Amino acid sequence: MLLTLVGLGKMSVCADIAYDVAVAATAKDNERIDALDALIVLADPRLLAISASLPRDSALWSNRLTRLALTRLFPRHLSVEQLCRTLSRVTEKRRTVGEISWYLPRRIEQMTMSLDTFDDLRVGLTALVAEGVVWDEKRWPHLASRRSFLLPALASTCLRQLRAGVTTPQLMTSIALALRLPEREHNNLDPIKQLRVALRDLPAGTRRLVFEADDSLLQAQRPQADAFRRFARLAYHGAVIELVSADAVWILEMLGETGRSEAERAMLLEAALSLRDEAVEWSAHLTVLKGLVSDLPKFVERLDELSEPRPLSAEAERSQREDAERQRREERIEARDHASWVKFWGEIVESPDTVFADERAGGTAWSLWRAMRQSGDESRSSGWNRRFIERHFSKDVADRLRLAVMSFWRNDRPTLRSERPKVDRDSFLIRWQLGLAGLAAEAEDPRWAEKLTANEVELALKYVPIELNGFPGWLQGFVDVHPNSVDAVLGKELTTELNEPATDHSAMLQSIQHSAPSVGRLFVPRLRDWLDTGKWRLGRRERKSARASRLRRVVQILMQFGDENTVAHVHALAKAELADEARGAVNSVWLPVLMRVSPAYGVEALERSLEGKSPKGSATKWFSALFGDPRGEGDTYLSASGFTPDLLLRLARLAYQHIRPADDIKREGSYSPVERDHSQRGRTNIINALLSTTGPEGWAVKLRLAEDPLFADFKDRALAMALERSAEEADAAVFVEAQIVALDRYNDLPPLTRDEMFSVMNDRLDDIEDALLHDDSPRAAWALIEDEKIMRRQIARELRSSARNAYNVDQEAVTADEKETDIRLRSTGSQHEAVIELKIGEKDRSAADLKATIRDQLVVKYMAAENSRAGCLLITVNSPRTWKHPDTGAPLDLTALIAMLNEEARHIERDMGSSLRLIVRGLNLQPRLSPEPRQYDRKRIRQIAAN
């Protein structure tokens, strides 16, 4: 870190320190490279001495260090000659993306040098690549070099020369080497791929030179006497240039040159035979070729043989007849289907009454349903797409089709998975999907579920598992009307599935997990019962991974949809299961639960499970699964509010003790990560989370980390990040001039972040509560209001009067889902806004309703936008009423109600990964003091009596 600061700060006085580290053989590679970078920034003259030592002093410059250094020094401080001599002694692993194969070609592509210098570089790279080239028939490509890592750099150099107009035969030889030797496919940004593409647009004469150079290279390495095979390896097997019909011009010119050897002209004849223009008759083409090889009787004789028609074998003739007949049959079927479809569409447009008559309505619905299912991006999983039908026909046709498909689901009898034979449980009839489309069509009526009979309700629910991508959308409203029936049919199906041996995938559990909250909550009791019975501990014949996967999914659903008691129950079960030691595939479910619900307990359980263990094995598994696996929830865990700076430091110490940097896998180039790589990533994520903490506590923890010998390898980085974070916190908000003027005028600044918007909203609500305590407060007037619309106007007026240009007040703003919010405070300095949802407590609203309002209405409907992530549920009361606790039934006054609702708000914040801020506030409009007894003036009474 210090050496990096030397370069960034251009501290010339520290150049000697950087030089001493750069040439110190005992220093770490990373430190030496940082020192070298600092010297380069300082343009230190001693870089010439370092460049001179690079090619010859292998003891001072290791293979890896040499690669890192030369890409930094070339071309400004390292000459072409020094570069090539240095490259002669370095190696790089095959099939990796390293310093030489990746960074050097891009440096060559961007640098500015003379054409002569580029030519020297090409000559040097060509010599290095050509040295040790061998032909191996057992591998592909047959031609290979032990310095294949230099091929991208050679290709980049050739490309620079080619674009500069150089077309020498020597350049073409280098191009042939660069394109013949690669061992893998290259992406579009690779210089090898770019060079190959550049050859397509070269003039004919230049393409001819490349072709000749390629042939010379191959013949020098592996002479080929057979003319066709010699041509084939030029044109087909790793060809340097792809021959096209336009190349026939120079191929024919070369064929007619009598000074060429007979073997070379034989190869060119094969090329000329392959490149015939389709517009030229075969006989005419052969006549032209005869004129070019008239001096070679054997070639003329072969061309005469080719001019004679070859009789087909009986098998070939039969195959041709069969192919022709099959093609004619397919064309007839396609034409008939097309004509039938055109006629059908015409009938729908011209005679809808006919096609939707009772006797034809079913067939019409079936055909149109198939068209809707195949309507590409416009299709829906339900198979019902009104927009598709209305666009191609009309609203009347769509209405008729809706009535037609509605009849299908009532006239069919689908079966649940548990009702089908074991061999058929994972399949169903296609026609049942048409019934599912009919249900989706009928659900256009918002009150359709209320009109169903008991038998129809049960039948409709049997279609639900047929939906391929989760539960159908209509089930959310259906649950509100028929919750008991949903539990009796789908809940029972879930229980049956859970009692079966575990499998890798459960469509039912997956659908529940991705369902709406009102649907998911319905299955919580059954899932909790299954969890409490302990059946997940059984199943010795089941695969452990399948059992763990099912248990993990069940626990996730309970955590997602369960109430506070359910979450606490799962929490307690997780603690009990991990009381001794976290082990086994099934037990691996419980530690993530603790990390999510109670990070302190989770870290404690992790410490206990790793106590006395060697720094390998289970530690690698845990840190990989919890914090390092890209598919896991490591980032979500670490960003949760429960992970305080102190707890992160404790976790970081545990990571460094068990995932020791000294044991890290040293990677070069591209690779496939293993569990150890993920655990190293997890350790890095923990450190990054710790260094990103804010506030006084975060500052203190970072200082403690810097002083801890366990983290000595990045002490400087910890201190630097602590200072940087402190500076950011001190000056986090950047205001423009107009906002500073507003500050001077209004004594307030507009909020620029979500948290600032949340804070401003809370401050203004505090002001309103304070105003209600004044003698001239509107408490008595507000207490008489029973209409939420009138109450909203009063509160909005108070908020507007105290805005001080920090925000604008908007009543009944409409969201993207056409949902009206009560009050929005829109910042005047950013896009952030706060949402206030108002409820009058005297109305017939239970505590459960108010609790559901937070998630279902405030969060889901009104706070979906990224800039609307600060919200408040505001409840007013004007009488001493009480509510029943939704779980325990205990009576709640206003204070207890607000506390319970704020606990739910915090629970939602955790579920949403702290991506929003929520609070519940209460305005108590009851008279603040009891009426005082009336006071009488005794002196005045005596005067009245005397008179």
Side-chain angles (χ1 to χ4, degrees):
M1 176 61 73
L2 177 61
L3 293 170
T4 301
L5 294 176
V6 169
L8 293 175
K10 296 186 178 181
M11 304 176 187
S12 301
V13 294
C14 299
D16 290 342
I17 298 175
Y19 177 78
D20 291 341
V21 174
V23 297
T26 57
K28 295 180 179 179
D29 287 357
N30 291 342
E31 294 176 351
R32 295 182 65 185
I33 290 301
D34 288 342
L36 185 60
D37 287 336
L39 292 175
I40 292 173
V41 172
L42 297 174
D44 192 282
R46 286 170 289 188
L47 288 170
L48 295 177
I50 292 177
S51 298
S53 68
L54 202 61
R56 66 171 185 264
D57 198 344
S58 58
L60 179 61
W61 300 96
S62 65
N63 185 55
R64 177 175 180 269
L65 199 57
T66 301
R67 298 198 309 266
L68 292 168
L70 67 85
T71 54
R72 287 165 166 78
L73 295 170
F74 180 75
R76 185 173 180 181
H77 307 286
L78 194 71
S79 67
V80 169
E81 179 188 1
Q82 289 172 327
L83 173 70
C84 293
R85 286 197 290 118
T86 304
L87 290 174
S88 67
R89 72 173 185 82
V90 300
T91 58
E92 191 173 87
K93 291 183 179 180
R94 295 170 54 193
R95 299 181 181 274
T96 61
V97 180
E99 292 80 14
I100 308 301
S101 61
W102 179 260
Y103 293 106
L104 182 58
R106 280 140 189 88
R107 181 65 56 84
I108 294 171
E109 182 180 351
Q110 298 169 1
M111 67 187 185
T112 302
M113 296 192 306
S114 66
L115 289 179
D116 290 339
T117 306
F118 269 116
D119 201 58
D120 293 340
L121 178 59
R122 179 192 57 78
V123 171
L125 292 175
T126 301
L128 290 171
V129 169
E131 184 181 344
V133 169
V134 295
W135 186 283
D136 188 351
E137 287 288 349
K138 296 181 179 179
R139 54 173 294 174
W140 177 260
H142 300 310
L143 200 61
S145 170
R146 63 187 180 90
R147 293 198 179 100
S148 59
F149 59 90
L150 293 178
L151 292 174
L154 177 59
S156 186
T157 306
C158 293
L159 192 59
R160 289 293 302 269
Q161 287 193 283
L162 202 61
R163 289 172 176 170
V166 180
T167 57
T168 62
Q170 293 79 11
L171 174 59
M172 304 309 155
T173 299
S174 299
I175 290 176
L177 270 174
L179 299 183
R180 269 291 169 189
L181 300 179
E183 303 175 356
R184 60 183 175 87
E185 291 294 326
H186 294 263
N187 60 49
N188 292 331
L189 299 179
D190 196 296
I192 293 177
K193 185 67 172 288
Q194 294 178 12
L195 178 60
R196 195 179 296 278
V197 172
L199 297 182
R200 300 173 186 171
D201 301 325
L202 291 178
T206 308
R207 288 174 62 83
R208 171 177 172 168
L209 290 176
V210 177
F211 183 81
E212 290 180 307
D214 190 24
D215 182 49
S216 299
L217 172 65
L218 294 176
Q219 285 296 103
Q221 294 296 328
R222 188 73 167 183
Q224 177 57 258
D226 186 275
F228 179 77
R229 291 183 178 179
R230 180 176 174 179
F231 164 69
R233 69 182 184 180
L234 286 170
Y236 307 123
H237 308 307
V240 170
I241 60 172
E242 299 178 6
L243 296 175
V244 295
S245 57
D247 293 320
V249 176
W250 55 266
I251 290 288
L252 294 179
E253 289 178 357
M254 294 173 65
L255 178 61
E257 295 173 356
T258 57
R260 293 184 179 274
S261 67
E262 182 176 332
E264 188 175 359
R265 293 179 72 187
M267 180 271 292
L268 292 169
L269 178 61
E270 296 297 335
L273 289 170
S274 300
L275 291 177
R276 175 177 65 92
D277 191 339
E278 294 183 358
V280 179
E281 292 290 338
W282 176 246
S283 58
H285 184 60
L286 293 179
T287 301
V288 172
L289 296 183
K290 287 179 184 179
L292 295 174
V293 297
S294 58
D295 59 318
L296 297 172
K298 290 192 300 184
F299 288 13
V300 174
E301 182 179 349
R302 181 171 177 232
L303 292 173
D304 288 336
E305 292 176 356
L306 291 174
S307 63
E308 297 292 331
R310 293 185 178 182
L312 291 175
S313 64
E315 183 177 355
E317 289 181 352
R318 185 177 67 254
S319 296
Q320 285 187 354
R321 289 195 301 271
E322 291 176 353
D323 288 343
E325 177 59 29
R326 181 166 53 253
Q327 184 174 355
R328 287 192 296 270
R329 184 168 58 251
E330 291 175 354
E331 289 175 352
R332 288 195 301 268
I333 294 174
E334 183 178 352
R336 185 177 66 246
D337 290 346
H338 178 73
S340 175
W341 188 244
V342 170
K343 179 181 178 182
F344 173 65
W345 281 68
E347 285 182 322
I348 295 175
V349 174
E350 297 173 3
S351 307
D353 292 336
T354 301
V355 296
F356 283 105
D358 292 342
E359 64 275 9
R360 292 191 57 185
T364 301
W366 175 267
S367 299
L368 289 178
W369 171 71
R370 292 182 60 189
M372 285 189 291
R373 288 182 67 224
Q374 301 172 5
S375 57
D377 294 338
E378 296 181 349
S379 65
R380 298 180 181 178
S381 55
S382 66
W384 170 247
N385 191 340
R386 170 178 283 275
R387 186 176 63 177
F388 174 81
I389 298 299
E390 289 186 355
R391 195 184 72 190
H392 289 85
F393 299 103
S394 65
K395 183 179 183 302
D396 178 63
V397 171
D399 291 338
R400 290 171 180 266
L401 178 61
R402 176 176 178 266
L403 294 175
V405 296
M406 281 169 51
S407 64
F408 272 88
W409 75 268
R410 287 182 172 84
N411 296 329
D412 211 337
R413 290 295 178 269
T415 56
L416 296 170
R417 180 179 179 275
S418 60
E419 297 172 344
R420 296 193 286 271
K422 190 173 182 179
V423 295
D424 297 330
R425 284 182 179 175
D426 295 326
S427 61
F428 55 82
L429 299 179
I430 294 296
R431 74 167 190 265
W432 294 346
Q433 288 185 310
L434 178 56
L436 190 64
L439 281 163
E442 188 161 347
E444 286 186 350
D445 178 1
R447 304 192 63 181
W448 75 286
E450 302 173 10
K451 305 172 184 178
L452 301 178
T453 65
N455 290 335
E456 288 175 336
V457 168
E458 181 180 355
L459 179 60
L461 289 171
K462 289 191 174 184
Y463 282 96
V464 169
I466 299 172
E467 183 73 65
L468 298 179
N469 299 312
F471 290 144
W474 51 262
L475 185 61
Q476 182 174 356
F478 197 92
V479 165
D480 297 335
V481 183
H482 304 288
N484 295 332
S485 299
V486 174
D487 179 66
V489 177
L490 299 182
K492 182 180 178 181
E493 187 72 5
L494 171 63
T495 300
T496 301
E497 181 178 311
L498 291 174
N499 290 331
E500 294 176 352
T503 59
D504 290 326
H505 175 71
S506 168
M508 179 68 78
L509 289 176
Q510 180 174 328
S511 297
I512 294 173
Q513 189 172 13
H514 293 91
S515 65
S518 58
V519 177
R521 284 194 292 265
L522 193 66
F523 297 95
V524 166
R526 287 182 178 270
L527 292 174
R528 182 169 172 176
D529 288 344
W530 177 81
L531 190 67
D532 291 344
T533 58
K535 293 183 179 180
W536 48 273
R537 294 189 180 91
L538 307 176
R540 295 181 179 178
R541 296 182 180 180
E542 301 177 60
R543 287 185 296 106
K544 291 183 178 180
S545 60
R547 291 170 55 205
S549 177
R550 180 166 68 180
L551 176 61
R552 184 175 296 106
R553 182 84 74 172
V554 170
V555 170
Q556 288 173 347
I557 294 172
L558 291 174
M559 298 290 290
Q560 180 179 351
F561 298 118
D563 56 17
E564 293 179 5
N565 289 334
T566 300
V567 173
H569 182 72
V570 175
H571 182 200
L573 182 58
K575 290 173 62 177
E577 289 296 319
L578 295 172
D580 297 327
E581 181 180 0
R583 61 188 183 278
V586 172
N587 279 343
S588 67
V589 175
W590 300 115
L591 191 51
V593 171
L594 288 183
M595 287 295 179
R596 179 178 176 183
V597 178
S598 178
Y601 280 114
V603 173
E604 180 182 341
L606 182 59
E607 288 173 334
R608 190 166 56 250
S609 69
L610 298 179
E611 187 175 354
K613 299 288 182 66
S614 62
K616 294 182 179 179
S618 59
T620 301
K621 179 194 70 174
W622 280 122
F623 280 97
S624 168
L626 290 172
F627 308 110
D629 191 341
R631 299 166 297 179
E633 300 183 53
D635 294 339
T636 304
Y637 296 147
L638 296 173
S639 61
S641 58
F643 273 103
T644 62
D646 281 328
L647 191 60
L648 286 171
L649 179 60
R650 182 174 162 189
L651 187 60
R653 289 183 55 82
L654 192 65
Y656 257 67
Q657 289 168 359
H658 292 273
I659 311 297
R660 298 185 303 195
D663 299 330
D664 284 357
I665 302 175
K666 306 299 182 182
R667 298 291 193 181
E668 294 185 19
S670 58
Y671 63 93
S672 297
V674 296
E675 194 170 57
R676 173 68 194 195
D677 294 295
H678 292 315
S679 66
Q680 293 170 202
R681 181 176 182 269
R683 184 188 65 209
T684 301
N685 289 340
I686 294 169
I687 294 297
N688 288 338
L690 175 58
L691 295 178
S692 298
T693 54
T694 59
E697 187 180 0
W699 168 263
V701 164
K702 277 176 272 194
L703 294 181
R704 286 164 53 195
L705 178 142
E707 296 169 357
D708 194 326
L710 191 62
F711 307 103
D713 60 330
F714 61 92
K715 174 181 179 180
D716 293 337
R717 179 189 173 205
L719 289 173
M721 288 196 68
L723 289 170
E724 180 182 356
R725 184 65 63 178
S726 178
E728 289 176 356
E729 292 174 33
D731 192 19
V734 179
F735 298 95
V736 298
E737 182 179 353
Q739 292 167 339
I740 300 301
V741 172
L743 172 62
D744 182 62
R745 178 180 299 175
Y746 301 106
N747 296 321
D748 208 345
L749 280 170
L752 300 183
T753 66
R754 177 203 64 185
D755 289 347
E756 290 180 6
M757 191 72 246
F758 183 75
S759 179
V760 167
M761 175 186 68
N762 268 322
D763 289 345
R764 298 305 192 265
L765 293 176
D766 285 340
D767 293 342
I768 292 177
E769 287 191 0
D770 184 64
L772 292 177
L773 300 176
H774 295 173
D775 293 337
D776 58 349
S777 77
R779 176 189 296 271
W782 287 10
L784 300 176
I785 299 175
E786 297 181 356
D787 190 332
E788 287 181 352
K789 183 177 294 186
I790 298 175
M791 180 65 77
R792 181 180 66 246
R793 292 174 182 171
Q794 300 300 319
I795 294 175
R797 183 169 59 246
E798 292 292 327
L799 292 170
R800 189 178 296 110
S801 65
S802 61
R804 296 195 293 275
N805 203 48
Y807 56 82
N808 296 318
V809 179
D810 186 7
Q811 297 183 57
E812 292 289 4
V814 179
T815 67
D817 299 323
E818 299 299 327
K819 303 297 184 181
E820 293 182 344
T821 61
D822 278 350
I823 303 172
R824 282 185 186 260
L825 308 183
R826 303 182 188 277
S827 171
T828 58
S830 67
Q831 297 296 318
H832 290 279
E833 54 188 35
V835 181
I836 300 176
E837 175 66 12
L838 175 66
K839 299 295 181 186
I840 292 182
E842 270 65 34
K843 294 198 172 183
D844 188 18
R845 289 193 177 93
S846 65
D849 291 337
L850 293 172
K851 182 178 179 181
T853 295
I854 303 175
R855 184 187 295 269
D856 297 345
Q857 188 170 350
L858 183 59
V859 174
V860 175
K861 295 181 180 179
Y862 303 154
M863 297 174 63
E866 185 65 30
N867 61 338
S868 302
R869 296 300 175 85
C872 172
L873 174 61
L874 182 61
I875 303 171
T876 68
V877 295
N878 60 9
S879 61
R881 67 159 295 186
T882 60
W883 293 262
K884 285 186 178 180
H885 194 289
D887 300 322
T888 64
L892 301 173
D893 60 7
L894 179 61
T895 302
L897 173 70
I898 298 302
M900 183 272 292
L901 295 178
N902 272 311
E903 182 63 30
E904 171 68 7
R906 288 190 291 273
H907 179 70
I908 294 173
E909 285 183 346
R910 290 195 299 269
D911 284 351
M912 302 291 285
S914 300
S915 63
L916 50 77
R917 298 293 305 277
L918 284 172
I919 194 169
V920 181
R921 304 286 297 258
L923 288 182
N924 191 343
L925 303 179
Q926 300 177 65
R928 192 164 60 90
L929 300 173
S930 301
E932 295 183 359
R934 194 169 184 179
Q935 301 294 322
Y936 296 97
D937 189 334
R938 294 184 178 182
K939 183 178 179 180
R940 177 63 176 161
I941 293 175
R942 285 195 297 268
Q943 290 176 349
I944 294 173
N947 294 331

